[in-house]
Amino acid sequence: MMNSRSIPADWLPQYTYADYQQWEGDWELIFGFPYAMSPSPKRKHQKTERKFMRLAEDALLQAQSECDCEVYHGLDWIIDESTVVRPDVMIVCGKFEDDFLHFPPAMILEIASKATILKDRNIKFKLYESQGVRYYIMVQPETKSIEIYQLVNNLYQEVVSKSFQLTLACTIELDLQKIFL
């Protein structure tokens, strides 16, 4: 008798972006597998998100016309037909016309919780790294910890920095500790 832990992944149903568009509720689709989003974010999550967005917007304004970048939250990033993610916050550089993104953002912030930390630290970490997201930041409001990863030679390296080069022409300064004040 085969137990459920031994069922190969390719026996499980896989879905596409077309399927994803029909679903109710909040979902992400990663390599054809659906992930239900948590219930609405808790207060600490929302506060952290809001403070980061304000810091990022201010940093982009200070950089002025050198940066063709904007801050988004809750925006779908359609990587391919089997992978659609919705990072907590993204800084997107360059023009796009759709109501979703088809290319990698320059920076992603994920606000981790007990329910999401494994997905954020493993699946999304490798996904964002493989897609060329220049900076991946994981924040845990409960422990007030921040991890900053920078893409170096196609691999993430943890860094300690307040300066972020989003594009060749755009570098911003972010004191991420301010999100906890």
Side-chain angles (χ1 to χ4, degrees):
M1 182 170 141
M2 184 183 303
N3 72 35
S4 63
R5 291 182 183 196
S6 64
I7 296 174
D10 39 320
W11 289 4
L12 299 172
Q14 293 194 344
Y15 299 91
T16 66
Y17 178 65
D19 299 318
Y20 170 86
Q21 289 179 301
Q22 304 303 314
W23 298 340
E24 292 183 21
D26 289 328
W27 295 86
E28 288 183 311
L29 180 66
I30 301 175
F31 305 121
F33 294 98
Y35 289 86
M37 303 286 280
S38 301
S40 68
K42 294 185 175 161
R43 282 184 332 116
K44 282 186 180 180
H45 181 286
Q46 290 186 30
K47 186 175 181 181
T48 302
E49 183 177 79
R50 185 180 70 248
K51 285 187 170 189
F52 175 81
M53 290 182 68
R54 191 173 2 193
L55 284 173
E57 289 283 350
D58 289 348
L60 288 169
L61 284 172
Q62 285 183 341
Q64 296 176 353
S65 63
E66 297 170 18
C67 292
D68 183 23
C69 304
E70 293 186 49
V71 181
Y72 293 94
H73 75 96
L75 183 68
D76 283 350
W77 172 22
I78 303 170
I79 296 171
D80 59 34
E81 281 301 308
S82 69
T83 304
V84 182
V85 291
R86 190 179 305 154
D88 289 318
V89 183
M90 297 185 285
I91 297 181
V92 179
C93 301
K95 300 282 185 225
F96 67 102
E97 300 295 321
D98 295 323
D99 288 330
F100 40 81
L101 195 60
H102 278 290
F103 58 88
M107 179 182 284
I108 289 179
L109 173 89
E110 291 286 7
I111 303 166
S113 67
K114 289 177 185 177
T116 66
I117 189 68
L118 289 176
K119 182 172 69 167
D120 293 339
R121 185 171 304 289
N122 296 297
I123 296 170
K124 286 189 169 184
F125 182 97
K126 284 296 186 188
L127 177 64
Y128 298 161
E129 181 182 64
S130 72
Q131 294 301 308
V133 176
R134 190 175 294 236
Y135 296 99
Y136 179 34
I137 302 170
M138 277 189 290
V139 175
Q140 295 181 60
E142 296 300 323
T143 60
K144 295 186 177 181
S145 66
I146 300 171
E147 297 172 39
I148 303 169
Y149 296 93
Q150 180 177 356
L151 198 62
V152 178
N153 297 322
N154 299 317
L155 295 172
Y156 278 141
Q157 292 183 3
E158 191 166 8
V159 297
V160 176
S161 183
K162 292 182 180 181
S163 183
F164 300 90
Q165 185 177 7
L166 302 176
T167 67
L168 290 175
C170 179
T171 300
I172 62 172
E173 299 293 320
L174 289 174
D175 182 356
L176 295 172
Q177 291 300 321
K178 287 184 178 180
I179 63 177
F180 298 127
L181 300 179

